[in-house]
Every structure is written in structure tokens, then in C-alpha cells.
Amino acid sequence: MPLGVNRLASRHAHVFLGADHDRNARRTWIVIAITATMMVAEIAAGILFGSMALLADGWHMATHAGAILIAALAYGYARRNAENSRFSFGTGKVGDLAGFASAIVLAMVALLIGWESLLRFTAPVPINFSEAIIVASVGLGVNLVCAVLLHGNGHHADHSHSHSHSHSHKAHGSHAPDHGPDHASEQGHGYGHAHGEHAESHPADTHQGHTHHTGERAEDSNLRAAYMHVLADALTSVLAIAALIFGSVYNWLWLDPAIGLVGTIIIGRWALDLMRQSGSVLLDYVPRDEPLPNEIRKIIEAEGADIADLHVWQLGPGHHGAIVSLTSDAPKPPSHYREKLARLTALSHVTVEVEWHGSARPA
């Protein structure tokens, strides 16, 4: 059968969403509903009772609800387009893009809190301490409930199913003999696509293999972004309650804006950390403590081959891709190396290129 027909017959999905993608999406919408309800109630009560404290906190919650909405919409977009072939490596990184956008919003919120705090240093405003403490306490309760919903990550295996295939061809101008469709005499490509939990290998000489393995849990930048917004809101409530209590006892009006500046620094650092994490995934940065590249090298070298070039990147939460270019004096089919790499549960997409060592190439 011609190579092109084989390639077209081996269609496979590139769904690299996190193990808890749908669960996280549902919880994010629940948090939005709770936050929006509280927001509307506070704004309505503020207008009805003429309370600036209620109005301010209501609009403050609106900014966080909008940021969390980014996360919820990203989950929906990633799921709807998970099978869209226009996304070459799936939609697993949509959450990281949303997380980066949410981090920018979080940083803006921190700057606004800092700016407002500085203005209150120069122009103090009277504070209704008892009312403000009640508002902050209610807001803290709501945020704690939302934080529990977004932080409730259990430790269980992710279920995915892997479809893989390999093919080979002779390089143009090569005089090496052709050993058949599964053996690369000059260069071969093996593709592994993992979506699964259990490990099961089929014979390497079949064109389409199936690999099931236990997936590794990885941090979801999108969920972390939503969680950080809720946590930031909870932190501001805790700091506000402390400042209001001491301010009401000692009449320290300066303490409220001072605590606001402390919150600005803490939330700003959270935002930068979130930007760094999600941005590194978007730019295919491999952290120094990522063990996958070394594990790939060990497996390939144990097969008597040398890695000439290796690229590893994250495809989505718990999913990584790799391009492995290797050389050997006695190269095996790409499917052989792919099968060996299948034990790496974090590896969900593999391309294997096999070449002879220059001096070992058959005449």
C-alpha cells in the first residue's frame, strides 16, 4: 500500500486536555455564579442603603468575576475545539493563554489597589468601621467557599487513550536497501499519541498501535489563575478586616491604606509568578527540574543509540510532546524506540527520526 494511503488511513486525535478539564470547567462556572450573585447583592444593597463600602466591594468582586470568566470561557473553547484539526497540537495550551491573560488582570487589580491606597494616604476618607467589617467578613466567607471549590484537586490517574503509528522512507539519493514500511533504512518517523491510563503494547510491526498508560497530574494554569483571583480577594478581605478592627480601636485611619499597599505587593508577586508559569508553557520553555528529557535520553541510549537532537515541550496539563532524532550503528525501526518510550506516562506525542552513523551505513 502506498505510503500516502497509509498516512491518511492512520488518523488520530490530538486531544491533550487536562485530566480534570471538564470538572474544573464546571467548578469555575459555579464560582462565577456565586461571585456574580454576591456582586449584584452588594451593589443593589449599596444603592438602596447609600453605602459606599458595599458599592466598592461589589464592583471589586465584578473585576474578579470577569477574570474568572476568562478561565471558564477558555475551558469551553478548548473542549469545543479539541478535535479541530486546524490546531496542530490540540487545544491543551488554551488554558495557559487564558492564565496569562488572567495574570495581567490580576496585576492590574494589584496596581489599582496600590494607587487607591496612595491616594488615601494623601487624602484620608472617613470609614464606617462596623459596616465595612461586616462587608469584608461576608466577602471573606464567599471567597473561602470559592477557594475550596477551585482548590479541590484530588490525586487520581488521568484517563487517556493513545493512538500511534510509524512510517519510513528512503532518503533521496540513498542506496540503502528498503526493509519495508516499518523499518527506516535512512530516516524514519514514529508518532505516539497518548490519551490514556493503562499500558498495553501491541506488536511493533503493526501499522497502528495502541498504548494505554497512567497519566501524570500537572498543574492547570487556567484553574490556578481563577484560584489566584479568589485567593487575592480573600487576602484583601483578611487584611481589610485586620486594618478595620485596629483602626476602629485606635482610630488609625492610616492603617487601612498601609495594609492596602501590603496587599498590592503580595498580589503583584502572585501575578508575576502566574505570568512566569503560563508564559513559559506558551514559549515551550523546559524547566530545569523537568525530568522528561533525561528519561528519554536514558531509554534511547540503553538501546545502543545516540540522540543527535531532542526537543521536548508541553502540549497541555499532564501531556508533553517530543521530537527525538537519533543515530545508531544498527538502527531499529522507529516503532521499536516509540514502544520503549511509551513507558513515560507524561509523553503523549512522539516523533522519532532514525539515521545510520555515517561510517556504519550499508553500501
Side-chain angles (χ1 to χ4, degrees):
M1 184 179 296
L3 179 60
V5 176
N6 286 340
R7 179 178 59 80
L8 294 175
S10 300
R11 296 183 178 181
H12 44 267
H14 290 72
V15 181
F16 303 124
L17 303 180
D20 295 322
H21 183 92
D22 295 329
R23 191 213 67 165
N24 293 342
R26 289 191 299 269
R27 293 195 176 193
T28 302
W29 280 111
I30 292 173
V31 167
I32 291 174
I34 294 173
T35 305
T37 300
M38 183 67 186
M39 173 196 74
V40 172
E42 285 189 339
I43 293 176
I47 295 174
L48 183 62
F49 301 117
S51 170
M52 281 305 299
L54 285 171
L55 280 173
D57 196 62
W59 286 114
H60 178 229
M61 293 191 77
T63 61
H64 287 291
I68 298 172
L69 181 62
I70 294 175
L73 293 176
Y75 279 123
Y77 183 86
R79 171 55 70 191
R80 286 194 307 274
N81 290 277
E83 303 284 348
N84 189 340
S85 61
R86 301 297 295 174
F87 291 93
S88 298
F89 288 103
T91 55
K93 285 187 179 181
V94 171
D96 297 286
L97 181 61
F100 191 85
S102 292
I104 295 175
V105 174
L106 189 62
M108 292 174 62
V109 169
L111 291 174
L112 288 174
I113 293 174
W115 177 251
E116 181 65 22
S117 298
L118 291 175
L119 290 179
R120 292 204 175 195
F121 267 123
T122 58
V125 297
I127 300 174
N128 187 330
F129 290 104
S130 58
E131 183 183 76
I133 290 174
I134 293 173
V135 172
S137 298
V138 173
L140 176 61
V142 171
N143 287 317
L144 289 178
V145 171
C146 293
V148 170
L149 285 171
L150 295 177
H151 192 259
N153 273 332
H155 297 281
H156 59 273
D158 130 53
H159 181 76
S160 61
H161 187 203
S162 161
H163 299 275
S164 54
H165 69 273
S166 62
H167 69 268
S168 65
H169 58 85
K170 290 192 294 183
H172 294 292
S174 170
H175 299 286
D178 186 353
H179 296 282
D182 194 44
H183 186 82
S185 58
E186 178 68 22
Q187 183 179 45
H189 303 276
Y191 302 90
H193 306 275
H195 312 280
E197 183 169 333
H198 314 285
E200 175 188 341
S201 14
H202 292 254
D205 58 352
T206 58
H207 179 73
Q208 180 170 348
H210 302 270
T211 305
H212 302 257
H213 51 71
T214 302
E216 291 183 352
R217 180 169 306 282
E219 190 165 30
D220 186 334
S221 295
N222 199 25
L223 184 71
R224 183 171 181 239
Y227 177 71
M228 294 303 286
H229 275 280
V230 171
L231 203 61
D233 215 3
L235 174 66
T236 56
S237 296
V238 170
L239 294 176
I241 291 171
L244 290 169
I245 291 176
F246 282 99
S248 63
V249 173
Y250 300 104
N251 199 30
W252 291 344
L253 294 181
W254 58 267
L255 187 59
D256 183 67
I259 292 295
L261 290 177
V262 173
T264 295
I265 295 172
I266 296 175
I267 296 171
R269 289 191 61 181
W270 289 349
L272 289 175
D273 183 55
L274 184 58
M275 285 184 195
R276 191 178 298 111
Q277 177 203 334
S278 55
S280 65
V281 175
L282 293 173
L283 295 175
D284 296 331
Y285 175 80
V286 180
R288 290 184 179 181
D289 59 350
E290 173 56 58
L292 193 56
N294 286 333
E295 292 173 348
I296 293 174
R297 289 183 182 276
K298 289 179 181 179
I299 291 175
I300 297 300
E301 289 172 359
E303 296 300 312
D306 295 323
I307 289 185
D309 194 19
L310 174 63
H311 298 275
V312 177
W313 71 99
Q314 184 170 325
L315 299 167
H319 297 281
H320 289 76
I323 299 176
V324 185
S325 178
L326 61 91
T327 60
S328 176
D329 292 331
K332 298 180 178 66
S335 58
H336 172 82
Y337 301 103
R338 174 184 53 75
E339 183 178 350
K340 296 297 181 181
L341 292 172
R343 73 183 69 167
L344 301 178
T345 58
L347 201 54
S348 301
H349 180 99
V350 183
T351 299
V352 178
E353 299 177 348
V354 182
E355 297 181 358
W356 290 88
H357 277 310
S359 60
R361 183 175 303 172

